[in-house]
Amino acid sequence: MAKFRGVSEGDSITYALQRKEPLLTEHEALRDAVLGDSSNIVTMREGLHAVRTVEAVLDSARGNTFIQP
C-alpha cells in the first residue's frame, strides 16, 4: 500500500509575483514614451538579440536538438 501514496519531489519554493495584463503594460509603456520617458524602450540590438534567441528556441524544438545562438 505504501507504493500508492505518491511521489515526493522534495522542497519547493513559491514566489508571490505581481502580474499585470500584458496589453495594459504595453499601452502604459507607449504612453510613457510619448510623454518623454524612454526607460522602457529597448534598443535595436536588444530587439535583434531577442528575435534570434526565439528563433533558436523554435529551431531547437522543431529538430529536438540543441542550437547554439
Side-chain angles (χ1 to χ4, degrees):
M1 204 56 183
K3 293 180 183 179
F4 297 109
R5 290 190 182 175
V7 176
S8 174
E9 295 183 9
D11 296 333
S12 66
I13 299 172
T14 304
Y15 296 99
L17 302 174
Q18 295 290 333
R19 296 189 179 148
K20 289 179 73 175
E21 163 61 38
L23 188 56
L24 174 64
T25 303
E26 184 176 341
H27 285 169
E28 289 173 346
L30 176 62
R31 176 204 63 208
D32 295 343
V34 168
L35 294 175
D37 178 12
S38 60
S39 62
N40 287 331
I41 298 177
V42 299
T43 65
M44 291 294 285
R45 184 178 307 263
E46 291 168 330
L48 179 60
H49 181 69
V51 170
R52 285 183 175 162
T53 301
V54 170
E55 287 177 340
V57 168
L58 293 175
D59 289 344
S60 176
R62 273 188 224 107
N64 198 22
T65 60
F66 175 77
I67 296 176
Q68 186 79 24

